[in-house]
Amino acid sequence: YRAETGQTIHWHSNPTRIKTLSDLKQELEQDSGVPVSEQILMTSFGKLVRQENIVSILEATGQHEYIIFCFDRRYLSVHEEDIEALLDAETPPLEPKLPLFDGPLALKQLYTQLKNSSLIAVCHSFVSVFASFDSYSQSLMKTATAHTQLSKNIVDEHKFQSMALNVALTNLEDHRKLSEASIHDFVLRAEAELERQQALLNSVDHDLHILRHVRIHPSITAALEPNNNQQQQLRLLDFIDIDHINQVRSDTQILCDFLVDQSSLFKKEVKQMQQDEKEFHARVAENSNLHALDATLSDIQIIHQKTHYYRDK
C-alpha cells in the first residue's frame, strides 16, 4: 500500500521473481512511481523491511502474512496541503460533465428548416437530428460506462483497504497488549522496589537513634585510636557519615516519588490506550459498511445495464 494515499499498489509481475530488497523496491518504483532512493518500507507489524528479513516477509502466509506500506521519504515532513495535492493527483478523475441535450431547440431548428426545404433537405435535416441525438446518447453511455467501472474500482479498492485495516487493527491490539503487559510488569517491579525503599527510609531515623546510644567498649576504642590519651567515649554513630546518609535518603525519596509518579502515569496510559482502541474500533465499524457499498454498486450496474438495453432497443 502507498502510505500517503492508502491506495493498493498492484503488481505487474510475478512476486515470486522478487528475491532481494532491491528487486522489491524496483518493482514498487515501477508500480507506484516512488523512486527507489526515496522508499521507506515498513510492515503492518511495525518492522522495517530489510535484506535480512525480506524472504520471511514475502513467504509468510495466513495470520503471519505481512502488509507492506511504502512511504515516500519526500512526504515525511510536508504540509497537509501537499498530501491533499497528492491525493487529488492520484484520485481517478470523473468524466467531463456533458451539457444537456436541448431537445426543444433541436426541434425548433428542424421546424424552421422544414418550411422552405425540399424533400431531400427535409430528410437530411431529420437524419442530422437523429445523428446528433445518437452521438449524444453514445457520449452518455461512454460516461456511464466509465463511471460504472470507476465505481467498481472504488469498491474493490475499499475492500482491499478494509482488509488492510483489519490487519492493522489486529496489529494495533497486539501492540497494545504487549505494551500493557510490559507496563504491568514495570509497575509490579516498581511497586516492589518502592515498598523496599520506603521501608528503608522509614527505618533510617530509628536505626540512627539506635547507633546514637550504642557505646563502643574502651578496649576497642583504644585499639582503634591508640594515640588518643583522652579516652573519649565513642558511639557507633561517630563512625557514620551523617551527611552522606542524609544525601542518600534525599536521593531515595526522589526515586520513590519518581516511581510513584511514573507508575500512576503508566496506569493512566494503559486506560487511555484501551479507550482509544475501543473508540477507534467504533469509528471503523461506523464508517465501514461493505454491504451498503456492494448494494449501491449493484444498483449502479443494474441502471447501467438498463440504459444499454433501452438505447439498443
Side-chain angles (χ1 to χ4, degrees), residues 266-311:
F266 282 144
K267 289 177 181 178
K268 291 180 181 178
E269 290 294 334
V270 167
K271 292 182 179 179
Q272 187 63 51
M273 286 192 298
Q274 293 173 344
Q275 182 63 28
D276 290 344
E277 183 181 338
K278 182 179 179 180
E279 292 178 357
F280 189 55
H281 274 283
R283 287 181 58 188
V284 170
E286 181 181 354
N287 293 285
S288 179
N289 191 336
L290 295 180
H291 295 296
L293 284 177
D294 281 332
T296 302
L297 176 60
S298 178
D299 292 340
I300 293 174
Q301 291 172 332
I302 291 174
I303 293 173
H304 182 247
Q305 292 172 358
K306 287 183 177 180
T307 306
H308 262 294
Y309 171 77
Y310 286 124
R311 184 183 185 280

mmCIF file of all heavy atoms in Angstrom, residues 266-311:
data_model
loop_
_atom_site.group_PDB
_atom_site.id
_atom_site.type_symbol
_atom_site.label_atom_id
_atom_site.label_comp_id
_atom_site.label_asym_id
_atom_site.label_seq_id
_atom_site.Cartn_x
_atom_site.Cartn_y
_atom_site.Cartn_z
ATOM 1 N N PHE A 266 1.755 5.553 33.950
ATOM 2 C CA PHE A 266 1.635 4.379 33.087
ATOM 3 C C PHE A 266 0.260 3.729 33.223
ATOM 4 O O PHE A 266 -0.304 3.240 32.239
ATOM 5 C CB PHE A 266 2.732 3.366 33.419
ATOM 6 C CG PHE A 266 4.073 3.729 32.836
ATOM 7 C CD1 PHE A 266 5.243 3.458 33.533
ATOM 8 C CD2 PHE A 266 4.170 4.333 31.600
ATOM 9 C CE1 PHE A 266 6.478 3.788 33.005
ATOM 10 C CE2 PHE A 266 5.397 4.674 31.057
ATOM 11 C CZ PHE A 266 6.552 4.402 31.759
ATOM 12 N N LYS A 267 -0.279 3.707 34.420
ATOM 13 C CA LYS A 267 -1.619 3.145 34.608
ATOM 14 C C LYS A 267 -2.657 3.960 33.835
ATOM 15 O O LYS A 267 -3.575 3.400 33.223
ATOM 16 C CB LYS A 267 -1.967 3.118 36.098
ATOM 17 C CG LYS A 267 -1.182 2.086 36.899
ATOM 18 C CD LYS A 267 -1.531 2.156 38.380
ATOM 19 C CE LYS A 267 -0.733 1.142 39.186
ATOM 20 N NZ LYS A 267 -1.032 1.216 40.649
ATOM 21 N N LYS A 268 -2.487 5.280 33.857
ATOM 22 C CA LYS A 268 -3.394 6.136 33.088
ATOM 23 C C LYS A 268 -3.222 5.892 31.589
ATOM 24 O O LYS A 268 -4.203 5.888 30.834
ATOM 25 C CB LYS A 268 -3.129 7.606 33.414
ATOM 26 C CG LYS A 268 -3.521 8.012 34.826
ATOM 27 C CD LYS A 268 -3.217 9.482 35.071
ATOM 28 C CE LYS A 268 -3.589 9.898 36.491
ATOM 29 N NZ LYS A 268 -3.250 11.323 36.748
ATOM 30 N N GLU A 269 -1.969 5.697 31.158
ATOM 31 C CA GLU A 269 -1.706 5.450 29.741
ATOM 32 C C GLU A 269 -2.358 4.150 29.279
ATOM 33 O O GLU A 269 -2.877 4.062 28.163
ATOM 34 C CB GLU A 269 -0.197 5.398 29.487
ATOM 35 C CG GLU A 269 0.510 6.739 29.610
ATOM 36 C CD GLU A 269 0.074 7.724 28.544
ATOM 37 O OE1 GLU A 269 -0.366 7.285 27.462
ATOM 38 O OE2 GLU A 269 0.155 8.939 28.795
ATOM 39 N N VAL A 270 -2.322 3.133 30.126
ATOM 40 C CA VAL A 270 -2.951 1.854 29.778
ATOM 41 C C VAL A 270 -4.451 2.047 29.579
ATOM 42 O O VAL A 270 -5.037 1.572 28.596
ATOM 43 C CB VAL A 270 -2.681 0.803 30.874
ATOM 44 C CG1 VAL A 270 -3.579 -0.416 30.672
ATOM 45 C CG2 VAL A 270 -1.222 0.377 30.849
ATOM 46 N N LYS A 271 -5.085 2.752 30.505
ATOM 47 C CA LYS A 271 -6.526 3.003 30.377
ATOM 48 C C LYS A 271 -6.826 3.836 29.135
ATOM 49 O O LYS A 271 -7.817 3.594 28.438
ATOM 50 C CB LYS A 271 -7.039 3.716 31.631
ATOM 51 C CG LYS A 271 -7.018 2.853 32.881
ATOM 52 C CD LYS A 271 -7.589 3.605 34.079
ATOM 53 C CE LYS A 271 -7.581 2.726 35.329
ATOM 54 N NZ LYS A 271 -8.121 3.448 36.518
ATOM 55 N N GLN A 272 -5.941 4.812 28.844
ATOM 56 C CA GLN A 272 -6.157 5.656 27.673
ATOM 57 C C GLN A 272 -6.006 4.850 26.387
ATOM 58 O O GLN A 272 -6.777 5.032 25.433
ATOM 59 C CB GLN A 272 -5.164 6.821 27.683
ATOM 60 C CG GLN A 272 -5.418 7.862 26.600
ATOM 61 C CD GLN A 272 -6.762 8.536 26.759
ATOM 62 O OE1 GLN A 272 -7.100 9.013 27.831
ATOM 63 N NE2 GLN A 272 -7.556 8.559 25.695
ATOM 64 N N MET A 273 -5.011 3.956 26.338
ATOM 65 C CA MET A 273 -4.835 3.107 25.155
ATOM 66 C C MET A 273 -6.048 2.214 24.941
ATOM 67 O O MET A 273 -6.509 2.036 23.803
ATOM 68 C CB MET A 273 -3.566 2.260 25.299
ATOM 69 C CG MET A 273 -2.274 3.024 25.106
ATOM 70 S SD MET A 273 -0.823 1.942 24.941
ATOM 71 C CE MET A 273 -0.814 1.118 26.535
ATOM 72 N N GLN A 274 -6.567 1.653 26.021
ATOM 73 C CA GLN A 274 -7.751 0.804 25.910
ATOM 74 C C GLN A 274 -8.946 1.609 25.399
ATOM 75 O O GLN A 274 -9.695 1.143 24.530
ATOM 76 C CB GLN A 274 -8.072 0.179 27.268
ATOM 77 C CG GLN A 274 -7.029 -0.817 27.749
ATOM 78 C CD GLN A 274 -7.284 -1.284 29.172
ATOM 79 O OE1 GLN A 274 -8.049 -0.666 29.921
ATOM 80 N NE2 GLN A 274 -6.636 -2.368 29.567
ATOM 81 N N GLN A 275 -9.104 2.819 25.918
ATOM 82 C CA GLN A 275 -10.215 3.667 25.499
ATOM 83 C C GLN A 275 -10.059 4.095 24.044
ATOM 84 O O GLN A 275 -11.027 4.072 23.265
ATOM 85 C CB GLN A 275 -10.303 4.895 26.408
ATOM 86 C CG GLN A 275 -11.454 5.835 26.084
ATOM 87 C CD GLN A 275 -12.811 5.188 26.276
ATOM 88 O OE1 GLN A 275 -12.966 4.287 27.093
ATOM 89 N NE2 GLN A 275 -13.795 5.631 25.508
ATOM 90 N N ASP A 276 -8.832 4.481 23.665
ATOM 91 C CA ASP A 276 -8.585 4.902 22.282
ATOM 92 C C ASP A 276 -8.845 3.759 21.307
ATOM 93 O O ASP A 276 -9.433 3.964 20.237
ATOM 94 C CB ASP A 276 -7.142 5.392 22.134
ATOM 95 C CG ASP A 276 -6.905 6.714 22.844
ATOM 96 O OD1 ASP A 276 -7.900 7.384 23.178
ATOM 97 O OD2 ASP A 276 -5.734 7.068 23.074
ATOM 98 N N GLU A 277 -8.402 2.569 21.676
ATOM 99 C CA GLU A 277 -8.627 1.416 20.800
ATOM 100 C C GLU A 277 -10.118 1.119 20.666
ATOM 101 O O GLU A 277 -10.612 0.827 19.571
ATOM 102 C CB GLU A 277 -7.892 0.192 21.354
ATOM 103 C CG GLU A 277 -8.023 -1.033 20.465
ATOM 104 C CD GLU A 277 -7.311 -2.248 21.036
ATOM 105 O OE1 GLU A 277 -6.397 -2.069 21.868
ATOM 106 O OE2 GLU A 277 -7.675 -3.373 20.657
ATOM 107 N N LYS A 278 -10.837 1.216 21.770
ATOM 108 C CA LYS A 278 -12.284 0.983 21.740
ATOM 109 C C LYS A 278 -12.983 2.001 20.842
ATOM 110 O O LYS A 278 -13.842 1.638 20.020
ATOM 111 C CB LYS A 278 -12.837 1.060 23.160
ATOM 112 C CG LYS A 278 -14.327 0.793 23.261
ATOM 113 C CD LYS A 278 -14.794 0.865 24.712
ATOM 114 C CE LYS A 278 -16.299 0.626 24.813
ATOM 115 N NZ LYS A 278 -16.767 0.705 26.229
ATOM 116 N N GLU A 279 -12.603 3.272 20.973
ATOM 117 C CA GLU A 279 -13.212 4.318 20.155
ATOM 118 C C GLU A 279 -12.841 4.147 18.684
ATOM 119 O O GLU A 279 -13.663 4.388 17.794
ATOM 120 C CB GLU A 279 -12.765 5.691 20.654
ATOM 121 C CG GLU A 279 -13.319 6.045 22.028
ATOM 122 C CD GLU A 279 -12.817 7.389 22.522
ATOM 123 O OE1 GLU A 279 -11.990 8.012 21.812
ATOM 124 O OE2 GLU A 279 -13.236 7.826 23.617
ATOM 125 N N PHE A 280 -11.601 3.720 18.424
ATOM 126 C CA PHE A 280 -11.171 3.517 17.040
ATOM 127 C C PHE A 280 -11.957 2.383 16.393
ATOM 128 O O PHE A 280 -12.384 2.482 15.236
ATOM 129 C CB PHE A 280 -9.673 3.222 17.006
ATOM 130 C CG PHE A 280 -9.093 3.213 15.620
ATOM 131 C CD1 PHE A 280 -9.249 4.298 14.782
ATOM 132 C CD2 PHE A 280 -8.391 2.113 15.157
ATOM 133 C CE1 PHE A 280 -8.718 4.302 13.505
ATOM 134 C CE2 PHE A 280 -7.860 2.096 13.880
ATOM 135 C CZ PHE A 280 -8.019 3.197 13.057
ATOM 136 N N HIS A 281 -12.159 1.301 17.138
ATOM 137 C CA HIS A 281 -12.972 0.192 16.624
ATOM 138 C C HIS A 281 -14.392 0.676 16.313
ATOM 139 O O HIS A 281 -14.982 0.281 15.295
ATOM 140 C CB HIS A 281 -13.016 -0.941 17.647
ATOM 141 C CG HIS A 281 -11.865 -1.890 17.557
ATOM 142 N ND1 HIS A 281 -11.773 -2.871 16.594
ATOM 143 C CD2 HIS A 281 -10.740 -2.008 18.308
ATOM 144 C CE1 HIS A 281 -10.658 -3.560 16.754
ATOM 145 N NE2 HIS A 281 -10.004 -3.053 17.784
ATOM 146 N N ALA A 282 -14.929 1.508 17.196
ATOM 147 C CA ALA A 282 -16.288 2.019 16.984
ATOM 148 C C ALA A 282 -16.349 2.892 15.733
ATOM 149 O O ALA A 282 -17.305 2.811 14.947
ATOM 150 C CB ALA A 282 -16.738 2.813 18.214
ATOM 151 N N ARG A 283 -15.327 3.731 15.531
ATOM 152 C CA ARG A 283 -15.296 4.589 14.337
ATOM 153 C C ARG A 283 -15.198 3.760 13.071
ATOM 154 O O ARG A 283 -15.851 4.054 12.060
ATOM 155 C CB ARG A 283 -14.115 5.554 14.428
ATOM 156 C CG ARG A 283 -14.288 6.676 15.425
ATOM 157 C CD ARG A 283 -13.077 7.584 15.424
ATOM 158 N NE ARG A 283 -12.836 8.147 14.101
ATOM 159 C CZ ARG A 283 -11.749 8.844 13.782
ATOM 160 N NH1 ARG A 283 -10.805 9.038 14.696
ATOM 161 N NH2 ARG A 283 -11.601 9.334 12.576
ATOM 162 N N VAL A 284 -14.376 2.721 13.111
ATOM 163 C CA VAL A 284 -14.234 1.853 11.938
ATOM 164 C C VAL A 284 -15.558 1.170 11.621
ATOM 165 O O VAL A 284 -15.992 1.113 10.465
ATOM 166 C CB VAL A 284 -13.125 0.805 12.178
ATOM 167 C CG1 VAL A 284 -13.135 -0.248 11.076
ATOM 168 C CG2 VAL A 284 -11.762 1.482 12.244
ATOM 169 N N ALA A 285 -16.211 0.654 12.664
ATOM 170 C CA ALA A 285 -17.488 -0.025 12.454
ATOM 171 C C ALA A 285 -18.547 0.938 11.926
ATOM 172 O O ALA A 285 -19.388 0.570 11.097
ATOM 173 C CB ALA A 285 -17.956 -0.657 13.763
ATOM 174 N N GLU A 286 -18.492 2.184 12.388
ATOM 175 C CA GLU A 286 -19.489 3.174 11.984
ATOM 176 C C GLU A 286 -19.287 3.641 10.548
ATOM 177 O O GLU A 286 -20.253 3.919 9.832
ATOM 178 C CB GLU A 286 -19.422 4.373 12.935
ATOM 179 C CG GLU A 286 -20.427 5.470 12.623
ATOM 180 C CD GLU A 286 -20.306 6.650 13.573
ATOM 181 O OE1 GLU A 286 -19.520 6.552 14.540
ATOM 182 O OE2 GLU A 286 -20.988 7.663 13.343
ATOM 183 N N ASN A 287 -18.023 3.727 10.125
ATOM 184 C CA ASN A 287 -17.725 4.306 8.813
ATOM 185 C C ASN A 287 -17.401 3.271 7.745
ATOM 186 O O ASN A 287 -17.041 3.644 6.628
ATOM 187 C CB ASN A 287 -16.539 5.273 8.939
ATOM 188 C CG ASN A 287 -16.874 6.493 9.775
ATOM 189 O OD1 ASN A 287 -17.565 7.394 9.326
ATOM 190 N ND2 ASN A 287 -16.399 6.520 11.008
ATOM 191 N N SER A 288 -17.498 2.011 8.074
ATOM 192 C CA SER A 288 -17.188 0.972 7.096
ATOM 193 C C SER A 288 -18.388 0.040 6.970
ATOM 194 O O SER A 288 -18.743 -0.664 7.915
ATOM 195 C CB SER A 288 -15.947 0.180 7.530
ATOM 196 O OG SER A 288 -15.665 -0.837 6.602
ATOM 197 N N ASN A 289 -19.018 0.071 5.800
ATOM 198 C CA ASN A 289 -20.182 -0.781 5.554
ATOM 199 C C ASN A 289 -20.059 -1.350 4.141
ATOM 200 O O ASN A 289 -20.553 -0.775 3.169
ATOM 201 C CB ASN A 289 -21.475 0.020 5.711
ATOM 202 C CG ASN A 289 -22.695 -0.883 5.739
ATOM 203 O OD1 ASN A 289 -22.666 -1.997 5.221
ATOM 204 N ND2 ASN A 289 -23.774 -0.407 6.337
ATOM 205 N N LEU A 290 -19.357 -2.476 4.032
ATOM 206 C CA LEU A 290 -19.121 -3.075 2.723
ATOM 207 C C LEU A 290 -20.417 -3.552 2.079
ATOM 208 O O LEU A 290 -20.550 -3.519 0.851
ATOM 209 C CB LEU A 290 -18.142 -4.241 2.857
ATOM 210 C CG LEU A 290 -16.718 -3.877 3.315
ATOM 211 C CD1 LEU A 290 -15.864 -5.125 3.408
ATOM 212 C CD2 LEU A 290 -16.090 -2.875 2.356
ATOM 213 N N HIS A 291 -21.372 -3.990 2.893
ATOM 214 C CA HIS A 291 -22.649 -4.457 2.335
ATOM 215 C C HIS A 291 -23.382 -3.312 1.643
ATOM 216 O O HIS A 291 -23.954 -3.489 0.559
ATOM 217 C CB HIS A 291 -23.515 -5.058 3.443
ATOM 218 C CG HIS A 291 -22.944 -6.298 4.056
ATOM 219 N ND1 HIS A 291 -22.765 -7.463 3.341
ATOM 220 C CD2 HIS A 291 -22.492 -6.552 5.310
ATOM 221 C CE1 HIS A 291 -22.241 -8.391 4.125
ATOM 222 N NE2 HIS A 291 -22.062 -7.866 5.326
ATOM 223 N N ALA A 292 -23.359 -2.134 2.262
ATOM 224 C CA ALA A 292 -24.016 -0.977 1.652
ATOM 225 C C ALA A 292 -23.311 -0.579 0.356
ATOM 226 O O ALA A 292 -23.963 -0.219 -0.635
ATOM 227 C CB ALA A 292 -24.026 0.191 2.634
ATOM 228 N N LEU A 293 -21.977 -0.652 0.348
ATOM 229 C CA LEU A 293 -21.237 -0.333 -0.875
ATOM 230 C C LEU A 293 -21.567 -1.324 -1.990
ATOM 231 O O LEU A 293 -21.770 -0.930 -3.146
ATOM 232 C CB LEU A 293 -19.731 -0.352 -0.591
ATOM 233 C CG LEU A 293 -19.155 0.842 0.166
ATOM 234 C CD1 LEU A 293 -17.670 0.630 0.420
ATOM 235 C CD2 LEU A 293 -19.365 2.131 -0.616
ATOM 236 N N ASP A 294 -21.613 -2.610 -1.645
ATOM 237 C CA ASP A 294 -21.957 -3.625 -2.654
ATOM 238 C C ASP A 294 -23.368 -3.398 -3.192
ATOM 239 O O ASP A 294 -23.616 -3.549 -4.400
ATOM 240 C CB ASP A 294 -21.851 -5.025 -2.041
ATOM 241 C CG ASP A 294 -20.410 -5.509 -1.955
ATOM 242 O OD1 ASP A 294 -19.593 -5.070 -2.787
ATOM 243 O OD2 ASP A 294 -20.099 -6.313 -1.062
ATOM 244 N N ALA A 295 -24.289 -3.047 -2.299
ATOM 245 C CA ALA A 295 -25.671 -2.811 -2.731
ATOM 246 C C ALA A 295 -25.747 -1.599 -3.659
ATOM 247 O O ALA A 295 -26.443 -1.629 -4.690
ATOM 248 C CB ALA A 295 -26.566 -2.604 -1.512
ATOM 249 N N THR A 296 -25.020 -0.534 -3.307
ATOM 250 C CA THR A 296 -25.013 0.665 -4.151
ATOM 251 C C THR A 296 -24.389 0.373 -5.508
ATOM 252 O O THR A 296 -24.900 0.802 -6.552
ATOM 253 C CB THR A 296 -24.236 1.796 -3.453
ATOM 254 O OG1 THR A 296 -24.829 2.066 -2.183
ATOM 255 C CG2 THR A 296 -24.254 3.060 -4.296
ATOM 256 N N LEU A 297 -23.287 -0.376 -5.505
ATOM 257 C CA LEU A 297 -22.639 -0.740 -6.769
ATOM 258 C C LEU A 297 -23.570 -1.598 -7.620
ATOM 259 O O LEU A 297 -23.651 -1.417 -8.845
ATOM 260 C CB LEU A 297 -21.339 -1.496 -6.487
ATOM 261 C CG LEU A 297 -20.597 -2.024 -7.716
ATOM 262 C CD1 LEU A 297 -20.204 -0.878 -8.644
ATOM 263 C CD2 LEU A 297 -19.365 -2.825 -7.301
ATOM 264 N N SER A 298 -24.287 -2.511 -6.981
ATOM 265 C CA SER A 298 -25.234 -3.353 -7.716
ATOM 266 C C SER A 298 -26.321 -2.499 -8.361
ATOM 267 O O SER A 298 -26.701 -2.729 -9.528
ATOM 268 C CB SER A 298 -25.855 -4.382 -6.771
ATOM 269 O OG SER A 298 -26.805 -5.180 -7.447
ATOM 270 N N ASP A 299 -26.811 -1.492 -7.638
ATOM 271 C CA ASP A 299 -27.827 -0.592 -8.205
ATOM 272 C C ASP A 299 -27.271 0.159 -9.415
ATOM 273 O O ASP A 299 -27.959 0.310 -10.442
ATOM 274 C CB ASP A 299 -28.292 0.407 -7.145
ATOM 275 C CG ASP A 299 -29.086 -0.261 -6.028
ATOM 276 O OD1 ASP A 299 -29.588 -1.382 -6.248
ATOM 277 O OD2 ASP A 299 -29.191 0.334 -4.934
ATOM 278 N N ILE A 300 -26.031 0.632 -9.295
ATOM 279 C CA ILE A 300 -25.407 1.361 -10.409
ATOM 280 C C ILE A 300 -25.272 0.456 -11.628
ATOM 281 O O ILE A 300 -25.563 0.862 -12.767
ATOM 282 C CB ILE A 300 -24.029 1.905 -9.978
ATOM 283 C CG1 ILE A 300 -24.202 2.989 -8.910
ATOM 284 C CG2 ILE A 300 -23.260 2.460 -11.173
ATOM 285 C CD1 ILE A 300 -22.894 3.476 -8.320
ATOM 286 N N GLN A 301 -24.847 -0.774 -11.407
ATOM 287 C CA GLN A 301 -24.662 -1.708 -12.522
ATOM 288 C C GLN A 301 -25.996 -2.060 -13.176
ATOM 289 O O GLN A 301 -26.077 -2.191 -14.405
ATOM 290 C CB GLN A 301 -23.947 -2.969 -12.023
ATOM 291 C CG GLN A 301 -22.494 -2.723 -11.635
ATOM 292 C CD GLN A 301 -21.845 -3.923 -10.967
ATOM 293 O OE1 GLN A 301 -22.524 -4.727 -10.327
ATOM 294 N NE2 GLN A 301 -20.527 -4.035 -11.093
ATOM 295 N N ILE A 302 -27.045 -2.210 -12.375
ATOM 296 C CA ILE A 302 -28.374 -2.504 -12.935
ATOM 297 C C ILE A 302 -28.864 -1.342 -13.787
ATOM 298 O O ILE A 302 -29.385 -1.529 -14.903
ATOM 299 C CB ILE A 302 -29.370 -2.817 -11.802
ATOM 300 C CG1 ILE A 302 -29.021 -4.160 -11.153
ATOM 301 C CG2 ILE A 302 -30.796 -2.841 -12.331
ATOM 302 C CD1 ILE A 302 -29.859 -4.476 -9.932
ATOM 303 N N ILE A 303 -28.692 -0.121 -13.278
ATOM 304 C CA ILE A 303 -29.100 1.062 -14.051
ATOM 305 C C ILE A 303 -28.301 1.148 -15.346
ATOM 306 O O ILE A 303 -28.845 1.475 -16.417
ATOM 307 C CB ILE A 303 -28.908 2.336 -13.204
ATOM 308 C CG1 ILE A 303 -29.883 2.328 -12.022
ATOM 309 C CG2 ILE A 303 -29.108 3.587 -14.051
ATOM 310 C CD1 ILE A 303 -29.664 3.459 -11.043
ATOM 311 N N HIS A 304 -27.020 0.831 -15.268
ATOM 312 C CA HIS A 304 -26.177 0.867 -16.462
ATOM 313 C C HIS A 304 -26.641 -0.166 -17.486
ATOM 314 O O HIS A 304 -26.708 0.115 -18.698
ATOM 315 C CB HIS A 304 -24.725 0.607 -16.060
ATOM 316 C CG HIS A 304 -23.765 0.670 -17.205
ATOM 317 N ND1 HIS A 304 -23.081 -0.431 -17.668
ATOM 318 C CD2 HIS A 304 -23.379 1.705 -17.998
ATOM 319 C CE1 HIS A 304 -22.316 -0.086 -18.678
ATOM 320 N NE2 HIS A 304 -22.471 1.208 -18.903
ATOM 321 N N GLN A 305 -26.987 -1.357 -17.020
ATOM 322 C CA GLN A 305 -27.480 -2.394 -17.930
ATOM 323 C C GLN A 305 -28.807 -1.987 -18.565
ATOM 324 O O GLN A 305 -29.031 -2.197 -19.771
ATOM 325 C CB GLN A 305 -27.638 -3.709 -17.162
ATOM 326 C CG GLN A 305 -26.314 -4.327 -16.721
ATOM 327 C CD GLN A 305 -26.513 -5.512 -15.795
ATOM 328 O OE1 GLN A 305 -27.649 -5.860 -15.435
ATOM 329 N NE2 GLN A 305 -25.413 -6.139 -15.391
ATOM 330 N N LYS A 306 -29.692 -1.395 -17.763
ATOM 331 C CA LYS A 306 -30.975 -0.938 -18.308
ATOM 332 C C LYS A 306 -30.768 0.157 -19.343
ATOM 333 O O LYS A 306 -31.469 0.202 -20.367
ATOM 334 C CB LYS A 306 -31.867 -0.427 -17.176
ATOM 335 C CG LYS A 306 -32.436 -1.527 -16.297
ATOM 336 C CD LYS A 306 -33.364 -0.940 -15.237
ATOM 337 C CE LYS A 306 -33.989 -2.045 -14.397
ATOM 338 N NZ LYS A 306 -34.895 -1.485 -13.349
ATOM 339 N N THR A 307 -29.806 1.042 -19.078
ATOM 340 C CA THR A 307 -29.518 2.117 -20.030
ATOM 341 C C THR A 307 -29.057 1.541 -21.363
ATOM 342 O O THR A 307 -29.488 1.988 -22.437
ATOM 343 C CB THR A 307 -28.436 3.050 -19.458
ATOM 344 O OG1 THR A 307 -28.837 3.518 -18.175
ATOM 345 C CG2 THR A 307 -28.212 4.236 -20.375
ATOM 346 N N HIS A 308 -28.183 0.544 -21.301
ATOM 347 C CA HIS A 308 -27.739 -0.131 -22.521
ATOM 348 C C HIS A 308 -28.928 -0.773 -23.244
ATOM 349 O O HIS A 308 -29.053 -0.690 -24.476
ATOM 350 C CB HIS A 308 -26.710 -1.216 -22.173
ATOM 351 C CG HIS A 308 -25.295 -0.766 -22.352
ATOM 352 N ND1 HIS A 308 -24.751 -0.454 -23.581
ATOM 353 C CD2 HIS A 308 -24.304 -0.567 -21.445
ATOM 354 C CE1 HIS A 308 -23.491 -0.094 -23.430
ATOM 355 N NE2 HIS A 308 -23.193 -0.146 -22.135
ATOM 356 N N TYR A 309 -29.788 -1.395 -22.462
ATOM 357 C CA TYR A 309 -30.931 -2.097 -23.049
ATOM 358 C C TYR A 309 -31.850 -1.122 -23.785
ATOM 359 O O TYR A 309 -32.241 -1.359 -24.938
ATOM 360 C CB TYR A 309 -31.696 -2.825 -21.942
ATOM 361 C CG TYR A 309 -33.011 -3.405 -22.396
ATOM 362 C CD1 TYR A 309 -33.058 -4.581 -23.144
ATOM 363 C CD2 TYR A 309 -34.215 -2.765 -22.072
ATOM 364 C CE1 TYR A 309 -34.278 -5.107 -23.558
ATOM 365 C CE2 TYR A 309 -35.426 -3.286 -22.480
ATOM 366 C CZ TYR A 309 -35.455 -4.456 -23.226
ATOM 367 O OH TYR A 309 -36.659 -4.965 -23.648
ATOM 368 N N TYR A 310 -32.184 -0.006 -23.124
ATOM 369 C CA TYR A 310 -33.101 0.948 -23.742
ATOM 370 C C TYR A 310 -32.472 1.630 -24.953
ATOM 371 O O TYR A 310 -33.157 1.933 -25.937
ATOM 372 C CB TYR A 310 -33.542 1.993 -22.720
ATOM 373 C CG TYR A 310 -34.524 1.447 -21.710
ATOM 374 C CD1 TYR A 310 -34.263 1.521 -20.345
ATOM 375 C CD2 TYR A 310 -35.715 0.846 -22.120
ATOM 376 C CE1 TYR A 310 -35.150 1.014 -19.413
ATOM 377 C CE2 TYR A 310 -36.608 0.335 -21.195
ATOM 378 C CZ TYR A 310 -36.327 0.418 -19.849
ATOM 379 O OH TYR A 310 -37.216 -0.090 -18.937
ATOM 380 N N ARG A 311 -31.174 1.873 -24.897
ATOM 381 C CA ARG A 311 -30.535 2.501 -26.054
ATOM 382 C C ARG A 311 -30.511 1.549 -27.244
ATOM 383 O O ARG A 311 -30.783 1.939 -28.383
ATOM 384 C CB ARG A 311 -29.105 2.930 -25.708
ATOM 385 C CG ARG A 311 -28.451 3.672 -26.865
ATOM 386 C CD ARG A 311 -27.017 4.037 -26.596
ATOM 387 N NE ARG A 311 -26.507 4.837 -27.691
ATOM 388 C CZ ARG A 311 -26.092 4.356 -28.856
ATOM 389 N NH1 ARG A 311 -26.133 3.048 -29.074
ATOM 390 N NH2 ARG A 311 -25.661 5.160 -29.818
#
